[in-house]
Amino acid sequence: MTWLEKLTTNPAITEALPEAVVETLLMVAISGVATVLIGGLLGIVLHVTRPGGLNPMPALYTVLSAVIVNITRSIPYAILMVALIPLTKWLVGTAIGPIAATISLTIGTAPFFARLVESALREIPSGTVDAAQVMGSTRGQVIRKVLLPEAMPGLIAATTTTLVTLVGYSAMAGLIGGGGLGRLAYNYGYQRFQTEVMVVTIVVIVVLVQLIQWIGDLLIRRMDHR
Amino acid sequence: MGTPMIEVRGLEKTFRQGAKEIRALRGVDLAVAPGRIHGIIGQSGAGKSTLVRCLTLLEPPTSGTVSVAGKDLTRESRSGLLDSRRRIGMVFQHANLFSSRTARDNVAYPLEVAGGSDAAARRARADELLALVGLEGFEGSYPAQLSGGQKQRVGIARALASDPDVLLCDEPTSALDPASTEGVLTLIEDLSRRLGLTVLVITHEMHVVKRLCHEVSLLQDGRIVQSGDLGDVASDLDSPLSAALLPLPTPHAARDQRLVEVLGRGRAASLPITQLVRDAGAGDVEILAGTVEDLAGERFSHQLLGLSATEASADAVVARLQEAGLTARVRTARQAAQDHVTADEIGGAR
């Protein structure tokens, strides 16, 4: 069989691949949304409560920053996903499948995203926030109407980076039962020596990452008026 | 002067940096009557920035009060403070516009946060204000597409959106080129007159004070060391502000010359001084340095005369000049040089 024939006949490619793509997209999409919501909120709280912030709360800031964000971020994802299996079982009922994988994916990336959000918000010149406050804005208005819109290009860049990271993590999560492209490459490409499956998987992942980055860059160009 | 629109009493601000205390404001008192343009001049480190931040309570004062239109901002509740802040329009050195909003949406922002108006009304009001500051046709432009002067105009329109009583200008022209500076100063003056705005301008540039203000305060080391109507402080020869408002170039006097400093205000500014000196019988007179300026609508002349005469006849010259309605005094070369340094420190000699 030639290489081309293998590509069109190997069931790992014709049948398992589309399924794996869907699983990967599912993992990235669900954990992506959860990460943006949880990590985004965490990032905003970090920015607002930091010393000299809009509403400084040193104790809360220290706990969130040092304890939660830094500790979580320092655990390698490969270890975190295994360590979180009991929690996943308790929450989802199983540790197998793409839905179960989103738990560790979200916990693994939300603190990372929170830091990116915090630094995107910190880029906004303090004079801009002063101006908003002098015009009689409430703190909520400063966040909703000034901080978030002003930081939007940075926030989209942060989301893009996080989604790309999630694609990478989801491949790892696939190895311990998450499914998706990671498991496909491991099971067929590595364990069964089907090089064509490995190559196709890599190509699909590269295309996926390129697509995410391209959409992200496009949105940033549209929104960046600085 | 009636009830002041802006009244500041005993304003102090102390910052703590570890064990070190920095007293940025050491008891500032200030009163500005409605419709007046008051300049606060001070060099870097004088406490200008802290004063601006304390006036809007962006920085809570350590002690003292800040009243605008009779309301003490330091005693307001959080929501009362937000309302009071809407009575103050603020213009910043770098305009501080929102980069994600168009000129129109920047101007509409204060109306948006105040609530109680629909989007169409806000839009109409914003366009009206942009026209008022001469920016018709730029409604849809983003700040990045505007020049420095245009940005500052948008900033002024935005400051006016909430229909404030007071316009607080923090170094409004320090980041602008001379042409834009002139445009922005003319606009502020014009708006103050047309809308009856009380304006407080904080600056390190004496030309802004000369060009715009009715009255001026000198801020040094966290205190206001001199304050008054522009014409009054300028005609007080002993005051540092006079030296800075009517600066003279460094004089080059001959060793045997007697120096007489003379200042004329209004009609006295046009008196034939050399003639008066000769009348006093003092012999030859040389004008070593001189300047003529129009301040707050009055003409001022300020000159340093060199006389080849005795001390007694110098006193006679001073008496003769004062008799004619001028202010005059005998000055040593060292004192004259010191006046130049003083003017330079306040920002007047440039």
Side-chain angles (χ1 to χ4, degrees), chain A residues 131-133 135 137-138 141-142 145-146, chain B residues 98 101 104-114 122 158 161:
Chain A
Q133 288 194 291
M135 288 185 275
S137 315
T138 62
Q141 286 171 329
V142 174
K145 289 175 177 290
V146 177
Chain B
F98 305 130
R101 287 173 171 249
R104 173 188 290 134
D105 291 342
N106 264 284
V107 178
Y109 182 88
L111 304 170
E112 217 176 298
V113 294
R122 289 199 295 264
R158 186 177 65 174

Side-chain angles (χ1 to χ4, degrees), chain A residues 81-96:
Chain A
M81 69 182 186
V82 180
L84 285 176
I85 286 176
L87 177 73
T88 307
K89 273 188 181 155
W90 181 70
L91 279 174
V92 189
T94 172
I96 307 293

Side-chain angles (χ1 to χ4, degrees), chain B residues 34-55:
Chain B
R36 301 284 277 174
I37 305 181
H38 189 107
I40 293 181
I41 185 139
Q43 295 311 293
S44 353
K48 290 195 304 292
S49 313
T50 311
L51 180 59
V52 172
R53 294 183 67 80
C54 283
L55 288 177

Side-chain angles (χ1 to χ4, degrees), chain A residues 127-128 130-139 141 145-146 149-150 225-226, chain B residues 53 58 78 82 85-86 90 92 96 98-100 109-110 112-113 142 144 158:
Chain A
T128 309
D130 285 349
Q133 288 194 291
V134 166
M135 288 185 275
S137 315
T138 62
R139 293 189 190 104
Q141 286 171 329
K145 289 175 177 290
V146 177
E150 289 290 300
H225 298 292
R226 285 175 295 188
Chain B
R53 294 183 67 80
L58 277 176
R78 173 88 198 155
L82 295 185
R85 276 180 177 163
R86 294 189 189 115
M90 182 151 174
F92 300 88
N96 293 359
F98 305 130
S99 65
S100 58
Y109 182 88
E112 217 176 298
V113 294
Y142 284 93
R158 186 177 65 174

Side-chain angles (χ1 to χ4, degrees), chain A residues 17 53 65 174-175:
Chain A
L17 180 70
S65 175
L175 300 186

